[in-house]
Amino acid sequence: MTEQASTAAAAGRPGLRAGRDGGVGWGLRSVVALTGLVLIAPTAVVIPMSFSAGDTFQFPPEDWSLRWYQAFFSSEKWMRSLLTSVQIGLLVAVTATVLGVAAAFGLNRAGFRGRGAIRSLMMAPLIVPGIVVAVAIYGVFLRWQLNGTAIGFVTAHTVMALPFVVTVMTTSLAGYDRTLDTAAASLGATQVTTFFRITVPLIAPGVLSGFVFAFVMSLDEVVVALFLQTPDIQTLPVQMYNSITLEIDPTIAAASSLMVTATTLVLLVPQFVRRKRSTP
Amino acid sequence: MSAPTASAPPVAATGGAGPAPARPRRRMAGWFILPATALLLVFFCYPLAFVIWRSFTDPSAGLGNYTALLHDGVSTTVLVRTLVTGLIVSACTLVIAYPYAYTMTRVGPRGRNLMTVVVLLPFWTSMMARNFAWYMLEQRGGLIDDAFSAVGIHGVVLLGSVPGVAVAMVQVMLPFMVLPLYSGMEGIDKRLLDAATSLGAPRWRAFARVYLPLSLPGVLSGFTLVFILTLGFYVTPALLGSPQESLVAQLIATQVSKLLDFGGAGALGTVLLAVTLLALFVVSRFANLSSTTEKAVTND
Amino acid sequence: MSHSDTSTSTGPGIRIAGVSKVYHGTSRPAVDDVSLDIADGEFITFLGPSGSGKTTMLSMLAGFVSVSGGTIEIDGRDVSRQKPHRRNLGVVFQQYALFPHMSVAKNVAFPLQQRRMPKAQIAAKVAETLKLVHLEDYADRLPSMLSGGQQQRVALARAVVYQPRALLMDEPLGALDRRLRDQLQREIARMHRELGMTFIFVTHDQHEALTLSDRIAVFNDGKVEQVGTPSELYERPGTLFVAQFLGESTCFRGTVDATAGLLRCEGFAARAPRLDAGLDGTGGVAIVRPERLELHPGAGDVPSGHNQASATVTEIVYVGNHHQVGLRFGDGTTGSAMRVAGRSLPAVPGEEVTVSWDPEHQSIVPAPGGASASPSVLEAAGA
């Protein structure tokens, strides 16, 4: 079809372009490569460490073994903290997603005074210094006897995960073309049909990202969890923290490697899915 | 990460009113924000207010906790050390992140994707794993010590020192600097540099006179964000620092968990909060922090 | 505002009666007391600059925007308060508004599903309509995989597949480049012929309006300035705005002398047959299209009965099939004439020429504001 040809031609003449090849010289290239290395490499050392055969944090290890993985999976303490973290993380992801998606909808669709203030409130848990949030929640939870309870962990983490969900959803809704609603109405669809057939499928990726962000955030959170912990309920990061400061237990290397691998997968999967969707 | 600015930026305020003329303001939609708002009020605002309240009332009403803070000989030192460390970390992060972010705007889409993934991975990988990694690198006989020993400098053990904490913090904070920088630079028309050189400016002067000033809002956002985050950072100093040279987060934690001194901790926390809000207020006058960082988080 | 037909038929068709729109928080109406009858099967274009109210008018027809006053009737039934999804109108948007998560076929099937059509019938109808827009091979593609022109054709298919009462199009070609626009224009014209449906088309592009429409309603400042066939609007513009918005023209300002049948301009008087006596003594503008201006070297020999004025040639631009001759008249009026390529040029830039035209090809419209052109002209007229 000639039409395609002419659009291709149109795309091929965007006017004067910045000289891309001239932009990145070898000097800049090496600086960037070094920075990339600094970003990635330090975390990567936990992986060889996890295959160490030694009893200390000696790095690089002198002998290799799978003993720390075995220790991780056979230790009741580690497995319980993993389970705790996953359970809390899922609960947090569900509550934060429900509350955050609703809030983002409210912020996006409703016009009322004080919208800016509400938006700032939603973002505040990210800005208030982490230690202050932790101490504040700890102080109140002591009185409410929520320390060391699942409800305590879930509410605290939900508060901290909300900004992520709201941000992701706000962006997702801002990119949502409201003309589609109008178009659906003109084609005979009721508001309810439009919501379920047009809106929901289109914002689903945003909701999914929000869910994943909230889960990962909770799974990774240490500071509040350190304060809320009791011997009965400890999350995985808390157990990791204790294994460095109290126990010098190299099982943490196995735990870290597993965490790094898991978060990498969890984060890359949605990106991969999105890419698959957008390209034929 | 996203930051609210003290005064709502005009862009955000008008953002909702799009060009579509037909947008009935749905009153019902306003109710959707209630559950989240209620949760934040009860489990975030109230605890914060309570901590501030206690700093003035616990153990006795008045400014006792604050005068103690000034005169105990430790708190002020720790506060100053924290602020200085925060500034140094922010500056180092900026110097490292700037060329990286700049390059992200100059490479093709595939290179940019790769660079984004490289930034986002540490952004999301387990904080504990990263701190543990630095623990191993900085310990006696760790990789850093070994590397310096190999060139004849012995005994470079960063673990248990403020520089050790700072080095790890720089790495941990890099994503928070790169992302706002990038989203700021992305909006700069690259042809401006070409235009400046065509008008007779050498490449470096074109950069300094045209590009650098235009990238300042992003720089300001990134710098403030990193600075604020370092202030409240607890895990890295607690693991890699030492009690003798503690940062303010460690001091607060000790006061609460060991001494149950909520009044004293509250006073320190209030000071920290005040510094944070001040920094935010200052930067909000120059840059739209929330919009650049929101873009950064969602990677758009 | 001119009501082109004052018939009061309540038969088939769309009737806009005294419709206004004042947006919340504004005082100036976006649409101001517009009345218009649109006949069944007609292709009517709302033409006007941005902000003239044409898109608001279309949105009110579609039901996206509520009316502040007046009524909209379809086939004699008042639909002013009806929800958009009940009006059974097809709408094509400038930015296509295709559902990005649905294939081409699913997009086109969507309105049929809303109307609870049986599945097999839907499939047949979708196939038939995709054929109409030559996209039968693209049924399973996602909209993002199509070019802009193809996307707009899907939007067209989607908007006509359920045989709506009328098809409303809001600058549907605005996002396309020139060649695609021409091509799609022809397709829209063909679809109008084949479907026999009422088409209501909004554009700011005069060429689109002239080539496509049965009738054009020119919008300005929320009001309809003039309604008529393309040739009526071009040959007999009713206002200065219409003349200037549609095509090029030379506009001589002067004062109407109805008894003498003249428009007295500075330096010459233009004969003007059929002058409205009511305009006597007020400011008027004589409008002449470029192809109606004859150029004669020097004093020249002007055909009898023609108006004439002398002008200086300011520039001559070669535009392929004709030369465009820029003119400056004695009173400072600038204008242009067209000279078919191949004919010799009467002058070179800087030279004087005599310009003449047949009064039959000139329109006299009231000067904006109704005031006379200039005091000196007033004096001349009063003398």
Side-chain angles (χ1 to χ4, degrees):
Chain A
M1 203 155 270
T2 53
E3 197 174 309
Q4 266 173 333
S6 70
T7 359
R13 50 167 159 76
L16 264 175
R17 266 258 182 88
R20 286 212 184 277
D21 38 328
V24 188
W26 64 268
L28 196 52
R29 261 170 213 274
S30 40
V31 168
V32 163
L34 203 66
T35 310
L37 203 68
V38 168
L39 278 163
I40 295 284
T43 319
V45 302
V46 303
I47 290 167
M49 184 66 208
S50 66
F51 294 105
S52 162
D55 282 327
T56 61
F57 291 152
Q58 170 64 36
F59 187 86
E62 279 152 7
D63 284 304
W64 308 95
S65 80
L66 287 174
R67 62 181 286 203
W68 300 119
Y69 285 94
Q70 201 185 1
F72 179 77
F73 285 109
S74 57
S75 151
E76 200 224 335
K77 198 172 55 181
W78 281 99
M79 290 319 284
R80 208 177 52 212
S81 64
L82 174 65
L83 189 67
T84 306
S85 269
V86 170
Q87 284 172 336
I88 290 172
L90 287 176
L91 283 171
V92 167
V94 171
T95 31
T97 306
V98 170
L99 297 183
V101 169
F105 249 97
L107 285 170
N108 181 262
R109 300 280 165 107
F112 54 90
R113 264 169 310 203
R115 224 160 48 138
I118 296 283
R119 196 182 284 271
S120 296
L121 173 68
M122 299 281 167
M123 293 302 146
L126 282 185
I127 284 317
V128 174
I131 187 68
V132 179
V133 177
V135 167
I137 290 182
Y138 177 63
V140 171
F141 278 18
L142 267 185
R143 305 203 153 198
W144 295 345
Q145 296 182 331
L146 287 173
N147 279 355
T149 65
I151 293 192
F153 277 102
V154 171
T155 43
H157 280 181
T158 303
V159 162
M160 300 172 77
L162 263 179
F164 290 93
V165 181
V166 170
T167 308
V168 171
M169 279 313 295
T170 308
T171 316
S172 174
L173 288 173
Y176 180 82
D177 181 3
R178 298 288 296 276
T179 324
L180 296 181
D181 292 354
T182 324
S186 80
L187 296 170
T190 61
Q191 279 192 12
V192 177
T193 314
T194 306
F195 181 75
F196 284 106
R197 290 215 44 203
I198 312 295
T199 313
V200 169
L202 286 176
I203 63 168
V207 176
L208 183 69
S209 320
F211 186 90
V212 170
F213 281 6
F215 179 74
V216 171
M217 183 266 131
S218 166
L219 198 66
D220 195 29
E221 204 285 325
V222 211
V223 187
V224 171
L226 273 175
F227 281 92
L228 296 187
Q229 67 165 324
T230 58
D232 291 331
I233 183 163
Q234 287 181 343
T235 61
L236 186 60
V238 169
Q239 174 58 33
M240 289 164 82
Y241 185 90
N242 293 342
S243 79
I244 301 178
T245 53
L246 306 176
E247 299 156 10
I248 322 258
D249 172 9
T251 311
I252 186 192
S256 295
S257 302
L258 290 172
M259 287 280 266
V260 168
T261 320
T263 36
T264 307
L265 286 180
V266 167
L267 284 165
L268 288 187
V269 163
Q271 289 228 339
F272 183 69
V273 170
R274 206 183 309 163
R275 202 153 302 154
K276 262 209 134 167
R277 257 186 193 212
S278 59
T279 53
Chain B
M1 299 255 147
S2 192
T5 43
S7 58
V11 184
T14 54
R23 186 170 301 180
R25 293 291 184 202
R26 283 174 213 161
R27 269 173 207 288
M28 212 185 68
W31 296 102
F32 286 5
I33 61 161
L34 261 191
T37 310
L39 182 90
L40 286 173
L41 286 178
V42 175
F43 291 99
F44 180 73
C45 298
Y46 172 71
L48 270 186
F50 192 53
V51 157
I52 297 171
W53 168 253
R54 278 174 109 172
S55 75
F56 292 107
T57 57
D58 188 354
S60 57
L63 294 172
N65 288 316
Y66 290 89
T67 47
L69 193 147
L70 278 176
H71 299 296
D72 66 4
V74 179
S75 303
T76 45
T77 322
V78 169
L79 267 172
V80 169
R81 185 188 295 136
T82 307
L83 294 178
V84 170
T85 309
L87 288 174
I88 292 174
V89 166
S90 311
C92 293
T93 317
L94 174 64
V95 169
I96 298 175
Y98 196 95
Y100 191 89
Y102 172 73
T103 309
M104 278 177 83
T105 67
R106 303 289 297 192
V107 296
R110 196 178 293 173
R112 183 159 49 244
N113 265 347
L114 177 70
M115 291 180 78
T116 313
V117 168
V118 166
V119 172
L120 282 181
L121 272 182
F123 186 81
W124 285 107
T125 39
S126 161
M127 193 63 103
M128 275 313 302
R130 277 190 287 167
N131 280 296
F132 171 58
W134 278 107
Y135 186 92
M136 288 191 299
L137 292 171
E138 293 185 352
Q139 67 186 336
R140 184 171 300 281
L143 268 187
I144 294 173
D145 190 11
D146 285 355
F148 277 99
S149 299
V151 294
I153 308 166
H154 294 280
V156 181
V157 181
L158 292 173
L159 190 64
S161 71
V162 173
V165 174
V167 166
M169 268 188 179
V170 167
Q171 192 251 341
V172 169
M173 292 296 171
L174 265 178
F176 296 99
M177 184 64 89
V178 170
L179 295 174
L181 276 183
Y182 170 67
S183 73
M185 289 175 178
E186 202 190 11
I188 302 175
D189 189 343
K190 268 130 236 140
R191 285 168 302 185
L192 288 178
L193 269 182
D194 296 340
T197 44
S198 79
L199 295 170
R203 196 101 192 140
W204 63 268
R205 198 189 294 156
F207 186 87
R209 293 282 299 278
V210 176
Y211 199 87
L212 209 57
L214 286 172
S215 67
L216 273 186
V219 168
L220 215 54
S221 305
F223 194 92
T224 316
L225 190 63
V226 170
F227 178 69
I228 287 170
L229 288 174
T230 56
L231 291 185
F233 232 58
Y234 174 63
V235 184
T236 306
L239 282 177
L240 306 177
S242 81
Q244 284 74 45
E245 284 188 309
S246 64
L247 298 184
V248 76
Q250 291 161 276
L251 196 60
I252 293 178
T254 316
Q255 278 176 336
V256 166
S257 57
K258 301 252 161 61
L259 312 173
L260 282 177
D261 175 12
F262 275 97
L268 273 174
T270 306
V271 171
L272 215 53
L273 198 58
V275 174
T276 304
L277 292 179
L278 186 73
L280 277 179
F281 174 72
V282 169
V283 79
S284 74
R285 319 211 59 180
F286 300 101
N288 187 351
L289 195 58
S290 63
S291 83
T292 48
T293 45
E294 256 173 46
K295 264 173 91 182
V297 168
T298 49
N299 177 28
D300 269 338
Chain C
M1 201 177 105
S2 76
H3 301 255
S4 66
D5 46 328
T6 47
S7 64
T8 51
S9 73
T10 50
I14 296 172
R15 154 162 292 195
I16 301 167
V19 166
S20 300
K21 177 67 194 178
V22 184
Y23 281 115
H24 185 71
T26 58
S27 52
R28 259 183 48 164
V31 168
D32 190 2
D33 189 25
V34 166
S35 297
L36 199 60
D37 283 330
I38 300 166
D40 211 12
E42 188 177 23
F43 194 130
I44 188 163
T45 296
F46 296 171
L47 174 70
S50 63
S52 59
K54 57 192 193 305
T55 295
T56 301
M57 189 60 243
L58 193 81
S59 302
M60 286 192 284
L61 277 174
F64 306 148
V65 172
S66 62
V67 296
S68 307
T71 55
I72 295 169
E73 284 171 30
I74 299 178
D75 299 334
R77 216 157 34 84
D78 183 359
V79 298
S80 315
R81 304 272 174 270
Q82 208 171 41
K83 293 235 171 169
H85 71 270
R86 310 201 62 101
R87 291 197 190 186
N88 199 32
L89 298 169
V91 182
V92 173
F93 300 83
Q94 179 173 4
Q95 295 297 339
Y96 325 133
L98 296 178
F99 305 129
H101 57 302
M102 295 184 191
S103 68
V104 166
K106 291 220 173 92
N107 262 285
V108 178
F110 185 86
L112 302 178
Q113 289 164 348
Q114 303 316 311
R115 287 163 176 77
R116 313 239 179 272
M117 193 183 265
K119 263 199 177 134
Q121 220 175 321
I122 290 182
K125 197 85 187 119
V126 167
E128 177 194 323
T129 312
L130 283 180
K131 209 163 192 173
L132 177 74
V133 295
H134 305 307
L135 283 175
E136 56 269 42
D137 296 335
Y138 294 79
D140 297 323
R141 304 264 188 110
L142 283 179
S144 56
M145 293 149 70
L146 303 182
S147 70
Q150 289 168 335
Q151 290 190 42
Q152 196 55 295
R153 292 201 309 227
V154 177
L156 276 168
R158 187 178 69 174
V160 299
V161 68
Y162 52 100
Q163 281 148 335
R165 186 60 190 79
L167 180 62
L168 317 186
M169 289 176 273
D170 182 15
E171 308 238 5
L173 310 179
L176 303 174
D177 69 23
R178 176 89 176 270
R179 265 187 53 194
L180 278 179
R181 210 182 301 179
D182 292 346
Q183 194 182 333
L184 229 73
Q185 263 182 39
R186 283 193 294 276
E187 288 209 31
I188 289 173
R190 178 180 57 87
M191 283 175 73
H192 181 242
R193 277 196 311 274
E194 287 180 17
L195 297 170
M197 201 181 274
T198 307
F199 276 28
I200 304 174
F201 190 95
V202 163
T203 184
H204 63 265
D205 183 317
Q206 45 156 322
H207 291 291
E208 249 169 56
L210 289 172
T211 46
L212 285 171
S213 322
D214 294 330
R215 275 198 308 157
I216 299 172
V218 180
F219 278 71
N220 183 31
D221 237 357
K223 292 178 186 286
V224 172
E225 291 252 339
Q226 192 177 0
V227 189
T229 64
S231 68
E232 273 169 19
L233 290 190
Y234 186 78
E235 302 291 347
R236 293 265 165 258
T239 67
L240 186 60
F241 176 83
V242 172
Q244 286 175 333
F245 197 75
L246 240 98
E248 276 185 84
S249 47
T250 304
C251 307
F252 302 101
R253 285 159 190 266
T255 305
V256 174
D257 182 345
T259 37
L262 291 175
L263 180 77
R264 295 189 186 277
C265 303
E266 196 181 317
F268 71 99
R271 265 180 293 268
R274 298 183 303 276
L275 262 179
D276 185 349
L279 291 177
D280 193 33
T282 64
V285 182
I287 293 158
V288 196
R289 299 298 187 182
E291 65 275 12
R292 302 295 186 186
L293 289 180
E294 294 288 333
L295 303 179
H296 314 275
D301 49 329
V302 174
S304 66
H306 278 207
N307 288 323
Q308 60 170 304
S310 59
T312 312
V313 173
T314 52
E315 60 173 1
I316 298 176
V317 180
Y318 176 62
V319 218
N321 55 4
H322 68 271
H323 286 94
Q324 205 173 312
V325 182
L327 301 167
R328 177 182 299 277
F329 293 87
D331 63 347
T333 300
T334 55
S336 76
M338 221 177 84
R339 192 86 167 172
V340 176
R343 282 180 66 186
S344 64
L345 289 162
V348 294
E351 283 183 348
E352 285 262 319
V353 286
T354 302
V355 182
S356 76
W357 65 94
D358 185 342
E360 287 299 324
H361 294 143
Q362 132 209 304
S363 310
I364 305 279
V365 301
S372 301
S374 70
S376 66
V377 174
L378 246 184
E379 274 163 36

